[in-house]
Amino acid sequence: MGQREVWRIMSRFNAFKRTNTILHHLRMSKHTDAAEDVLLEKKGCAGVITLNRPKFLNALTLNMIQKIYPQLKKWEQDPETFLIIIKGAGGKAFCAGGDIRVISEAEKAKQKIAPVFFREEYMLNNAVGSCQKPYVALIHGITMGGGVGLSVHGQFRVATEKCLFAMPETAIGLFPDVGGGYFLPRLQGKLGYFLALTGFRLKGRDVYRAGIATHFVDSEKSKIDRDKSFILEEHMDKINSCFSANTVEEIIENLQQDGSSFALEQLKRGHDFHEGVRAVLIDKDQSPKWKPADLKEVTEEDLNNHFKSLGSSDLKF
């Protein structure tokens, strides 16, 4: 047996071991009786982060962020920690996003938690992206918003057939944050622009096919959708054409001029952050009353206000 054949066999064996390790972690994350909202454990040479709010789809809180960040930094400097794994408990979600309902209600009660939450969340996103150790996110189940921020900037993102990805921020009057402005434009063609503006959901293997996940593993060896093409494959020409514009107004005009059923469907997808949270998550009437109510009423001053310097409060990494 030649050296090349030996290396090929060893490579397949190592890949098999890695897959079994991932499946083991996914099975274990279904069973936890711990009360803490996030578990930080050292298992062998791996630091393991488990988001542990399964009843709330592991929605991210300020308390969780403030626990994860220093531990991530500590493991990064620990010579006996060779990789960091992050996963969600319960089997239904990796992380459905930041717990924005709590944030919105706190703001209404005059508790200024939002600036602190978002500042520290973005610092954690940056820490994930700059981590010097292999960072492995097991994105099994719902992975949206803040959950994307905890995973997509890491070196390895392992999706399963149950992964459900979306950046739904525009539905609640927010922009695709947690580094969305960085990773979305780097997807193929104008796919990132499409995902950002429509909140379109990708499932299973399509999360890998889109380039959001770096790897795919069948958690139950179901081989679902194994032979199917990317769900948006037949629409990519329209996406690239319609979303190749410098303004949202131009994109809307492109979709209207296209006139296809796919283009017109995007126009159906959807005043401030709190109104969006109220309409989608609290009252669930799905009828936000935006201010301004129409895109034509948005002024240059409105846009510029979002990009003003915060002076000494500017976020520095």
Side-chain angles (χ1 to χ4, degrees):
M1 184 182 294
Q3 187 175 16
R4 181 176 296 181
E5 184 67 13
V6 171
W7 278 112
R8 187 181 67 82
I9 293 173
M10 287 297 296
S11 177
R12 291 184 63 184
F13 177 69
N14 288 335
F16 176 76
K17 285 178 64 179
R18 287 195 297 269
T19 300
N20 278 344
T21 300
I22 289 168
L23 293 174
H24 171 72
H25 278 285
L26 289 172
R27 285 192 294 269
M28 291 299 293
S29 62
K30 293 180 181 179
H31 309 287
T32 174
D33 297 322
E36 293 87 353
D37 52 12
V38 59
L39 309 179
L40 304 165
E41 305 168 285
K42 186 74 179 296
K43 295 187 177 181
C45 64
V48 181
I49 303 166
T50 304
L51 308 175
N52 192 36
R53 300 182 73 212
K55 291 182 180 179
F56 301 97
L57 301 178
N58 298 319
L60 191 63
T61 66
L62 179 59
N63 184 57
M64 294 165 72
I65 293 169
Q66 291 175 337
K67 289 179 181 177
I68 295 171
Y69 182 88
Q71 187 61 64
L72 180 63
K73 288 296 186 181
K74 182 178 179 181
W75 281 332
E76 189 177 15
Q77 300 300 320
D78 179 13
E80 296 185 359
T81 300
F82 294 100
L83 77 158
I84 297 165
I85 298 171
I86 185 167
K87 58 184 180 176
K92 290 184 178 180
F94 167 68
C95 174
D99 199 336
I100 52 178
R101 177 172 179 166
V102 170
I103 297 169
S104 182
E105 290 177 344
E107 290 291 305
K108 287 181 179 179
K110 307 300 181 183
Q111 300 172 7
K112 295 296 181 182
I113 187 176
V116 178
F117 176 88
F118 288 116
R119 171 178 289 272
E120 299 203 19
E121 181 185 27
Y122 299 161
M123 289 178 65
L124 177 56
N125 298 154
N126 182 68
V128 169
S130 60
C131 185
Q132 298 301 303
K133 297 285 176 72
Y135 182 96
V136 184
L138 306 183
I139 46 177
H140 178 71
I142 298 169
T143 304
M144 298 184 182
V148 176
L150 288 177
S151 55
V152 76
H153 304 296
Q155 187 175 359
F156 302 105
R157 292 90 66 188
V158 184
T160 73
E161 76 285 356
K162 293 185 178 179
C163 181
L164 179 62
F165 165 94
M167 290 295 284
E169 287 82 0
T170 53
I172 57 168
L174 190 62
F175 63 96
D177 63 340
V178 297
Y182 177 82
F183 83 87
L184 287 168
R186 286 166 171 78
L187 299 180
Q188 57 180 295
K190 296 298 179 180
L191 177 61
Y193 293 79
F194 170 78
L195 296 176
L197 291 171
T198 66
F200 189 88
R201 297 182 176 190
L202 294 174
K203 300 177 182 179
R205 291 180 189 272
D206 284 331
V207 181
Y208 170 71
R209 293 179 181 126
I212 295 159
T214 58
H215 297 76
F216 179 86
V217 170
D218 276 304
S219 67
E220 297 176 355
K221 299 182 179 179
S222 60
K223 298 182 180 180
I224 294 175
D225 296 337
R226 185 173 187 175
D227 300 319
K228 289 186 178 180
S229 60
F230 181 42
I231 191 171
L232 292 171
E233 186 68 37
E234 64 180 299
H235 303 298
M236 281 307 300
D237 286 344
K238 286 188 183 297
I239 289 172
N240 291 337
S241 174
C242 292
F243 287 79
S244 293
N246 293 323
T247 68
V248 175
E249 290 91 338
E250 290 177 21
I251 290 174
I252 291 174
E253 184 178 340
N254 289 344
L255 291 168
Q256 290 171 336
Q257 289 179 353
D258 181 277
S260 66
S261 58
F262 175 78
L264 296 177
E265 178 64 26
Q266 309 320 310
L267 295 173
K268 297 178 183 178
R269 303 177 187 273
H271 42 164
D272 52 22
F273 171 64
H274 308 296
E275 173 61 11
V277 173
R278 179 205 65 75
V280 176
L281 299 176
I282 299 177
D283 297 337
K284 298 183 180 180
D285 58 26
Q286 308 302 321
S287 299
K289 296 177 177 59
W290 304 118
K291 294 179 182 178
D294 193 282
L295 190 59
K296 295 176 182 177
E297 298 174 21
V298 179
T299 66
E300 287 295 320
E301 184 180 0
D302 292 330
L303 294 175
N304 291 334
N305 283 337
H306 287 285
F307 293 92
K308 281 184 178 178
S309 171
L310 299 177
S312 61
S313 296
D314 271 344
L315 183 58
K316 295 181 177 62
F317 297 118

